[in-house]
Amino acid sequence: MSKLEIRDLHVSVENNPIIKGFNLVMQGGEVHAIMGPNGTGKSTLAYAVMGHPRYEITRGDILLDGQSVLEMAPDERSRAGIFLAFQYPVSIPGVTVANFLRTAMNARRRHAHLPQEEISILEFRKLLKSKMDLIKMEYSFGGRYLNEGFSGGEKKRTEALQLALLEPSFAILDETDSGLDIDAVRIVSEGVNAIRGPKMGVMVITHYQRILNYLKPDFVHVLFDGRIVESGGQQLALQLEEHGYDWIRDKHGENLIA
Amino acid sequence: MGKNPEKQILTELSDYQYGFSDPETYVFKSHKGLDEDVVRQISGMKEEPAWMLDFRLRAFRHFQERPIPTWGADLSDLDLDDIYYYVKPTDVASRSWEEVPETIKDTFDKLGIPEAEQKYLSGVGAQYDSEMIYHSVLENLEAQGVIFLSIEEGLRQHPELFREYFSSVVPIQDNTFAALNSAVWSGGSFVYIPPGVKVDLPLQAYFRLNVANIGQFERSLIIADEGSQVHYVEGCTAPLYMTNSLHSGVIEIVVKKNARVRYTTIQNWSNNVYNLVTQRAKVFENGTMEWVDANLGSKVTMKYPACLLMEPGAHGEVLSVAFAGPGQSQDAGAKAIHFAPNTSSKITSKSISRGDGRATYRGLLKILPEAEGVKSSVVCDALLLDPESRSDTYPTIEVNAQDVSLGHEATVSKVGEDQLFYLMSRGLTEEEATTIVVSGFIEPLVKELPMEYAVEMNRLIQLQMIGSVG
């Protein structure tokens, strides 16, 4: 089973420290929810793990199966097995969803330790359709330009489709539920459940408990001021749903002064 | 084909950049530089009628009076005295395959071009396996009355038709390089489509047909008679391996009533070439002209395909892509001139600049006073790949009529950090990510290309992007 370990992570954006000593160990197959109010560094954490060049890691380490990924570019991290479902996926005009996904699969095959042959168009089509079925997506999506003119729900579903095809060992879902109506949250979550199987580790970043009804996290963590301040099971999420984040602020707010 | 020297590509001359010695095997080679004697010699070698010699001489005199244009790309390094203006190659291959540089062969391989075609493209061998295939295509066209000849044969075999239309679209006075071409033209195609004939397959000048079409001063004339239809494709995605430093062609197209012509160019010049081309079409009642134009390579390209919309209902379109790599200047655009009411035009120009490459859109949209009810749209999109890349837009619009509908849009975008990060997070390297953004950017043009060209165009873009990430 794979293991993703984040040790004493400190991340700055344009010299502003955002993540300040984040620790987490995730095993393959586990679902961890990261919750917390706005502006506590949830998305920063996601970008830093994926390797966005603007997110500077000033201290600590991120280890995938014991190997530090800090020196790896985002594409290397991706090929090593880390996936990020974006909160705001960008559009790539003129590039169809199908063409993009085939390019991504072939890039992974080409740059693998033991390079593999490119996937044939026929084989790819079959695979793509089977994954689209998993998340109840119409096949015509394959011919649309990536995220161009997509609704919020369509974007999130396309992120799930990419997750399904790329089969990472760890997936980070960055507010995949934001901007979705109740039905869409259910469909996307059910899709993620169908995709993840017994081995994939999933980090769900969210404000709300709703998506967790479907994804059933093994652990719930509360991120506040750049580090985890509370950890527990699903009942912690329910508690947050009921009482909001004020009690977290009251309990841990003194960190803000420091 | 190998027996006729006119049907070979005009090959390398004085340049030693690629390590070629000057093979002294030409039947005839003019001296360097241009004077009246050279013009007379060219006409004489081609055994032309007196009117053509007279035309060439008039053009030459006009050329002498015209300055080198300074309004566009930088031409100050172009030494017009250091060029051979006419070479009649021998019918023996002038160099061996072994002499062709490895880099060129390598590019051919990457493009997947068969060796026989590679040799032809490099000017090594002219004999070509598929000669029989295109013979049957040509027979089929001939049965429909289609004329598809080299420009020289067109003049010889159809003197009256030729004379009626030659220089009727691009007069000597059009511009400096049109005047130069008119004086020294050699090679090119002559095409006539009879009324009502629709040619299904694209006519390809693409090294498969009987024209020495990639001459230095090529000249092509296409006449689409009433209600006819044709798609003409020139060029190829392989690097045009020419050590001549100046390519200055003229393409003239006549689109008669209800006719439809599409002219597609894909050219990838080696990066020492000045590519200064005049492309004009005259479009008559309810006719449609479409220029599809992809320019890669070259040191400097200046090219502004034009549609002269002469009669009501005429429609003109230009869809172009220019890729300016490091050290290159692509000064490209389009012209639409509306002479008649209820004419319409659509210009879509896309440019990509990489490294210190410079892409310029230069366009003219002109609507004459009597041309009421004109509709026109101009869209220019530029994509910059590096901080030092440059893009400029010079859209000139002159409207002299009252009732017109105009749209103009220009966008400049960069391959954004967020786009790259998104694509890389899926496992694409930075270079692959940039390449896919570029492919998407030119997709509107690529989808208009015949299939085999579309495939080659995409591969070519990939080649252009190699080494783009430092």
Side-chain angles (χ1 to χ4, degrees):
Chain A
M1 213 53 106
S2 300
K3 183 167 138 186
L4 181 69
E5 201 177 346
I6 302 172
R7 276 189 204 156
D8 189 31
L9 191 70
H10 287 68
V11 182
S12 288
V13 182
E14 288 161 1
N15 293 322
N16 290 323
I18 310 282
I19 299 289
K20 306 162 185 174
F22 182 96
N23 288 285
L24 184 68
V25 179
M26 277 176 73
Q27 303 287 345
E30 291 176 355
V31 177
H32 291 245
I34 308 281
M35 303 184 72
N38 282 327
T40 51
K42 299 193 299 294
S43 289
T44 299
L45 174 70
Y47 278 152
V49 173
M50 200 69 239
H52 194 296
R54 241 183 304 140
Y55 292 74
E56 191 196 350
I57 291 170
T58 53
R59 205 160 95 196
D61 208 346
I62 302 166
L63 303 138
L64 180 63
D65 299 328
Q67 293 273 349
S68 173
V69 303
L70 294 192
E71 294 302 314
M72 292 161 79
D75 57 312
E76 296 171 294
R77 295 186 197 194
S78 164
R79 296 193 298 267
I82 301 175
F83 180 90
L84 171 59
F86 282 65
Q87 185 181 1
Y88 303 110
V90 295
S91 65
I92 312 289
V95 178
T96 63
V97 169
N99 180 19
F100 164 63
L101 285 170
R102 196 160 58 86
T103 306
M105 287 197 79
N106 284 332
R108 304 171 90 82
R109 289 175 169 225
R110 206 166 31 247
H111 302 294
H113 274 303
L114 296 168
Q116 291 169 282
E117 276 197 16
E118 297 204 341
I119 188 166
S120 76
I121 291 180
L122 226 72
E123 196 189 335
F124 174 75
R125 249 183 225 163
K126 232 194 282 172
L127 184 66
L128 181 64
K129 283 183 177 175
S130 73
K131 301 295 185 186
M132 284 175 145
D133 288 341
L134 275 185
I135 48 171
K136 300 186 172 63
M137 195 176 205
E138 282 184 35
Y139 296 156
S140 62
F141 251 85
R144 290 180 60 183
Y145 293 151
L146 186 58
N147 294 322
E148 178 134 288
F150 284 20
S151 70
E154 288 169 341
K155 282 183 185 168
K156 297 299 167 69
R157 221 182 281 188
T158 306
E159 293 295 290
L161 176 66
Q162 298 179 39
L163 172 65
L165 267 162
L166 302 181
E167 297 179 327
S169 40
F170 286 96
I172 303 166
L173 311 183
D174 188 8
E175 300 203 18
T176 295
D177 52 346
S178 71
L180 297 191
D181 61 34
I182 298 170
D183 292 333
V185 170
R186 181 177 51 79
I187 291 165
V188 171
S189 319
E190 283 173 359
V192 170
N193 279 333
I195 292 159
R196 71 185 175 96
K199 286 190 190 157
M200 191 187 292
V202 180
M203 183 193 289
V204 192
I205 293 174
T206 182
H207 286 292
Y208 306 106
Q209 130 78 13
R210 204 170 51 198
I211 190 172
L212 304 179
N213 287 336
Y214 302 102
L215 293 181
K216 302 202 176 3
D218 303 295
F219 304 93
V220 174
H221 311 280
V222 179
L223 183 66
F224 188 68
D225 193 27
R227 57 193 188 86
I228 290 175
V229 293
E230 298 278 336
S231 288
Q234 221 182 324
Q235 77 286 351
L236 178 57
L238 292 167
Q239 198 182 341
L240 291 168
E241 183 84 354
E242 204 174 321
H243 304 291
Y245 290 108
D246 282 349
W247 65 275
I248 299 277
R249 283 193 189 92
D250 293 342
K251 192 169 162 191
H252 302 281
E254 69 271 16
N255 290 326
L256 290 176
I257 300 154
Chain B
M1 173 165 174
K3 298 296 169 209
N4 186 343
E6 286 295 340
K7 289 179 180 173
Q8 294 194 16
I9 302 169
L10 290 178
T11 51
E12 289 61 38
L13 299 169
S14 61
D15 199 307
Y16 43 82
Q17 183 177 345
Y18 295 100
F20 290 104
S21 57
D22 197 4
E24 298 295 332
T25 48
Y26 297 108
V27 170
F28 172 79
K29 182 165 76 178
S30 67
H31 59 78
K32 268 189 184 174
L34 188 58
D35 56 27
E36 210 171 291
D37 282 347
V38 172
V39 176
R40 286 180 188 280
Q41 278 172 341
I42 294 170
S43 190
M45 295 293 289
K46 291 177 183 292
E47 297 170 5
E48 288 175 349
W51 74 266
M52 184 55 80
L53 172 61
D54 181 54
F55 173 84
R56 286 181 184 275
L57 290 172
R58 272 190 288 125
F60 171 66
R61 283 169 207 138
H62 183 72
F63 170 69
Q64 283 184 307
E65 290 161 13
R66 287 286 283 257
I68 299 294
T70 52
W71 45 263
D74 182 6
L75 300 175
S76 56
D77 284 343
L78 177 62
D79 184 356
L80 290 171
D81 294 327
D82 195 35
I83 288 170
Y84 291 101
Y85 284 85
Y86 183 59
V87 173
K88 187 172 179 177
T90 64
D91 52 355
V92 179
S94 58
R95 81 162 90 91
S96 73
W97 180 236
E98 283 66 40
E99 287 175 282
V100 176
E102 285 303 318
T103 51
I104 297 281
K105 288 182 186 170
D106 200 39
T107 309
F108 284 145
D109 284 340
K110 285 177 184 156
L111 286 168
I113 293 168
E115 187 169 304
E117 294 184 21
Q118 294 186 14
K119 287 185 173 172
Y120 183 80
L121 285 168
S122 334
V124 172
Q127 277 298 345
Y128 182 48
D129 291 343
S130 65
E131 201 164 354
M132 294 311 291
I133 300 166
Y134 66 73
H135 262 307
S136 68
V137 171
L138 285 181
E139 271 169 27
N140 183 19
L141 289 173
E142 267 170 38
Q144 299 178 79
V146 173
I147 300 169
F148 184 18
L149 296 168
S150 73
I151 188 94
E152 285 83 1
E153 281 301 313
L155 173 57
R156 254 192 292 277
Q157 295 180 25
H158 304 277
E160 275 145 41
L161 188 64
F162 191 101
R163 195 170 178 178
E164 184 181 347
Y165 292 102
F166 184 80
S167 194
S168 70
V169 185
V170 180
I172 288 168
Q173 297 79 8
D174 189 286
N175 66 76
T176 306
F177 292 98
L180 174 63
N181 175 284
S182 298
V184 298
W185 64 265
S186 191
S189 296
F190 178 74
V191 177
Y192 172 78
I193 315 293
V197 172
K198 293 184 165 62
V199 180
D200 300 329
L201 287 172
L203 289 185
Q204 312 206 357
Y206 184 60
F207 66 81
R208 291 212 162 89
L209 282 159
N210 59 339
V211 279
N213 64 302
I214 29 189
Q216 226 181 328
F217 300 104
E218 61 172 312
R219 179 106 193 183
S220 288
L221 176 57
I222 297 173
I223 304 144
D225 215 327
E226 293 192 1
S228 69
Q229 206 168 303
V230 68
H231 181 188
Y232 186 95
V233 185
E234 82 158 342
C236 66
T237 51
L240 278 184
Y241 178 52
M242 236 190 184
T243 50
N244 287 329
S245 57
L246 175 61
H247 169 256
S248 186
V250 169
I251 315 294
E252 294 184 275
I253 299 180
V254 179
V255 185
K256 294 213 172 176
K257 184 177 171 181
N258 294 325
R260 188 179 186 101
V261 176
R262 173 179 286 198
Y263 190 100
T264 297
T265 308
I266 304 176
Q267 271 165 346
N268 181 22
W269 298 98
S270 55
N271 60 11
N272 60 325
V273 170
Y274 285 85
N275 181 37
L276 313 170
V277 177
T278 305
Q279 297 187 170
R280 304 260 187 279
K282 260 188 187 169
V283 192
F284 295 92
E285 191 181 336
N286 293 323
T288 295
M289 175 68 211
E290 298 166 320
W291 296 103
V292 178
D293 202 43
N295 298 296
L296 295 105
S298 83
K299 181 175 183 184
V300 172
T301 286
M302 290 176 75
K303 192 175 187 186
Y304 322 97
C307 295
L308 313 179
L309 304 163
M310 310 303 294
E311 291 180 351
H315 177 69
E317 288 196 28
V318 182
L319 175 57
S320 70
V321 164
F323 191 117
Q328 297 175 340
S329 172
Q330 297 278 0
D331 199 293
K335 293 185 188 179
I337 303 174
H338 295 258
F339 289 91
N342 301 315
T343 47
S344 53
S345 60
K346 185 178 173 193
I347 294 168
T348 309
S349 164
K350 290 184 165 270
S351 72
I352 302 149
S353 318
R354 176 160 97 72
D356 64 353
R358 181 172 176 185
T360 302
Y361 170 80
R362 197 180 299 277
L364 173 65
L365 173 63
K366 188 167 180 172
I367 299 170
L368 276 77
E370 56 274 32
E372 300 294 344
V374 161
K375 287 192 176 73
S376 176
S377 87
V378 179
V379 178
C380 316
D381 296 325
L383 182 65
L384 306 177
L385 299 185
D386 294 297
E388 62 272 29
S389 307
R390 181 165 168 186
S391 166
D392 300 281
T393 306
Y394 303 100
T396 303
I397 299 178
E398 289 175 32
V399 180
N400 300 301
Q402 302 293 322
D403 170 29
V404 296
S405 152
L406 291 185
H408 182 260
E409 273 175 56
T411 67
V412 179
S413 49
K414 290 180 181 170
V415 179
E417 189 178 51
D418 287 333
Q419 273 181 324
L420 285 183
F421 177 62
Y422 183 63
L423 295 169
M424 289 173 74
S425 78
R426 301 315 186 224
L428 278 67
T429 62
E430 190 174 348
E431 192 168 286
E432 288 163 344
T434 313
T435 303
I436 202 169
V437 173
V438 172
S439 306
F441 180 74
I442 63 164
E443 158 75 10
L445 178 128
V446 172
K447 73 179 181 204
E448 294 297 324
L449 298 176
M451 180 65 116
E452 69 270 27
Y453 288 87
V455 171
E456 284 185 12
M457 183 75 186
N458 276 327
R459 271 198 233 132
L460 190 61
I461 289 293
Q462 284 165 14
L463 290 181
Q464 295 280 333
M465 298 303 297
I466 287 173
S468 63
V469 177

